[in-house]
Amino acid sequence: ACGYDVAFVLFDDHAMTAVDVDVENPEHWVEQDGHRYVLCETTSDWDIGRTSPGHAESDILYWCPVKPEDTV
């Protein structure tokens, strides 16, 4: 994923991505294996680290990380 650690994030009714990127004061992020993944809403004009209602860290049902070394 262009050299970034990323994750696919699934909710009950939605999906989005999370990226290990340095962003000042993100509203929504997940600490995983020493990385701070910032949630990225891709369905509208949300800023990085902001999510649509009902899609916060505590609402995540499935987390699938993808490391740069895992991609072809």
Side-chain angles (χ1 to χ4, degrees):
C2 297
Y4 291 96
D5 289 335
V6 299
F8 298 108
V9 184
L10 296 179
F11 300 88
D12 183 45
D13 63 344
H14 194 55
M16 67 178 69
T17 59
V19 182
D20 180 14
V21 63
D22 187 24
V23 174
E24 281 191 40
N25 303 317
E27 184 175 315
H28 298 287
W29 55 277
V30 175
E31 184 79 26
Q32 185 84 2
D33 297 326
H35 296 272
R36 186 174 88 168
Y37 291 88
V38 179
L39 295 181
C40 299
E41 176 63 76
T42 60
T43 60
S44 190
D45 293 332
W46 297 91
D47 291 333
I48 294 174
R50 307 283 188 251
T51 63
S52 52
H55 303 118
E57 301 85 344
S58 60
D59 302 309
I60 294 172
L61 295 178
Y62 184 73
W63 177 269
C64 181
V66 179
K67 306 284 186 188
E69 61 270 16
D70 294 339
T71 60
V72 177

